[in-house]
Amino acid sequence: MSEDTKEKLLRGALATLVEQGIARTSARSVAAAAGVNQALVFYHFGSVDGLLAAACRYGAEQRVARYRDELRQISTLAELLDLGRRMHVREKEEGHVAVLGQLLAGAQSQPRLGPATAAGLDLWITEIEQVLARVLGGTPIADFTDHEGLARAVAAAFVGLELYEGVDPDGAGRALDALEQLTALLGAFESLGPVAQRAVRAHVKRSLRR
């Protein structure tokens, strides 16, 4: 029963963030959404911030689990971008973009939420890094690609696009199209002969040393 109550509170916290925003998320509003006594917020999590921190990780775990099988079947950057586009639509429709936006906003004034939000994002980054290591492993750029750094850049770009779309949908769409163009560019690079690929590798390595 205790675990069931905790899960109700976690779900209630996420629902409250979507419907009311972080400024109006309180023990009372979360308890009402969860259908339990508000004292249970403090019994299980110590504070509202503690509940929100746990809800952040819980929500991320649920979302990553939903896409893990698809992520592990990806074999090209084009497939990763295609999944990203589908995730973009689904996550927005289901309100998860709003949750992330509220947590990021809250972390600016409530420091306890910062590490929890970062930990939730790290779950995504771990999965994306594995995809990039697999997809880029046999390409000409594998030797000078920081997979973890690139995974963080991809996650940051996705978060930024999700939030940016709210103020400029056309601009967000163009940004996704630009990523698709980069994917095509890598494909063209891979089609070069071995001599041309070695020349490009050497040029990039020289540029990185500067």
Side-chain angles (χ1 to χ4, degrees):
M1 181 64 71
S2 177
E3 287 301 312
D4 182 56
T5 300
K6 289 178 70 174
E7 186 163 342
K8 285 181 179 179
L9 285 167
L10 293 169
R11 292 180 180 276
L14 294 173
T16 304
L17 285 170
V18 173
E19 296 165 8
Q20 301 188 40
I22 197 165
R24 298 181 63 186
T25 296
S26 63
R28 177 176 295 180
S29 61
V30 171
V36 301
N37 189 295
Q38 72 180 67
L40 293 173
V41 170
F42 304 98
Y43 175 77
H44 287 292
F45 299 99
S47 66
V48 174
D49 280 1
L51 169 57
L52 291 178
C56 175
R57 185 171 184 87
Y58 171 82
E61 288 171 347
Q62 297 297 307
R63 309 316 301 159
V64 170
R66 180 173 187 174
Y67 295 104
R68 183 170 284 123
D69 286 344
E70 289 184 84
L71 285 166
R72 292 181 177 176
Q73 293 174 19
I74 288 173
S75 59
T76 67
L77 285 177
E79 290 176 2
L80 178 59
L81 181 59
D82 179 64
L83 176 59
R85 285 184 180 274
R86 288 186 281 114
M87 287 173 57
H88 170 76
V89 173
R90 186 186 299 173
E91 296 297 289
K92 182 179 179 181
E93 289 176 346
E94 296 182 2
H96 301 292
V97 175
V99 170
L100 182 58
Q102 291 296 323
L103 288 169
L104 289 170
Q108 306 305 309
S109 58
Q110 297 166 294
R112 186 172 181 176
L113 296 180
T117 305
L121 289 172
D122 277 344
L123 295 175
W124 284 107
I125 289 167
T126 297
E127 294 293 330
I128 295 170
E129 182 181 355
Q130 292 174 2
V131 173
L132 292 173
R134 181 173 65 253
V135 169
L136 299 177
T139 69
I141 67 170
D143 293 341
F144 41 84
T145 301
D146 175 5
H147 296 144
E148 181 183 354
L150 186 56
R152 291 185 181 280
V154 169
F158 184 77
V159 170
L161 284 171
E162 292 295 286
L163 300 178
Y164 180 55
E165 188 184 43
V167 296
D168 185 2
D170 290 339
R174 289 182 64 187
L176 285 171
D177 291 341
L179 291 176
E180 194 167 284
Q181 292 166 5
L182 287 176
T183 300
L185 181 62
L186 179 60
F189 183 32
E190 291 176 331
S191 69
L192 296 174
V195 175
Q197 287 189 13
R198 284 197 296 272
V200 173
R201 282 198 195 97
H203 177 74
V204 173
K205 287 180 178 179
R206 285 195 299 272
S207 299
L208 291 174
R209 293 193 194 105
R210 294 173 184 172

